[in-house]
Amino acid sequence: QVQPVESGGGLVQPGGSLRLACAASGSDFTRYVMKWFRQAPGKRRELVASITSIGTAVYADSAKGRFTISRANANNMVYLQMNNLKPEDTAVYYCYADGPLKYWGQGTQVTVSS
């Protein structure tokens, strides 16, 4: 079982940076591909980035070149470093554990506005 809990959201100006963190409790963290999704008001939830237990990362086109996903298996942590943020990045960001079972975090709000 892996239960994600996100942190690190907030208000940032366009061009700024934020680092989201996801703490995943449980003893079999490396069995899970960890993913970040986001959902903007009135829009469908979309995949932003994913990372396997050995560090293979995949990004949505909107995230390539600006976002970096990473994980620390020893600490059951996943991170999303977001640079050069744009107003269209405003959304609730969710951490998702994709493995033998599926678990969503509660989400953290990211607002990009001047």
Side-chain angles (χ1 to χ4, degrees), residues 53-76:
S53 61
I54 60 171
T56 302
V58 177
Y59 298 93
D61 287 344
S62 59
K64 288 178 182 176
R66 299 188 301 126
F67 295 2
T68 302
I69 189 171
S70 61
R71 67 189 287 167
N73 290 333
N75 299 322
N76 285 22

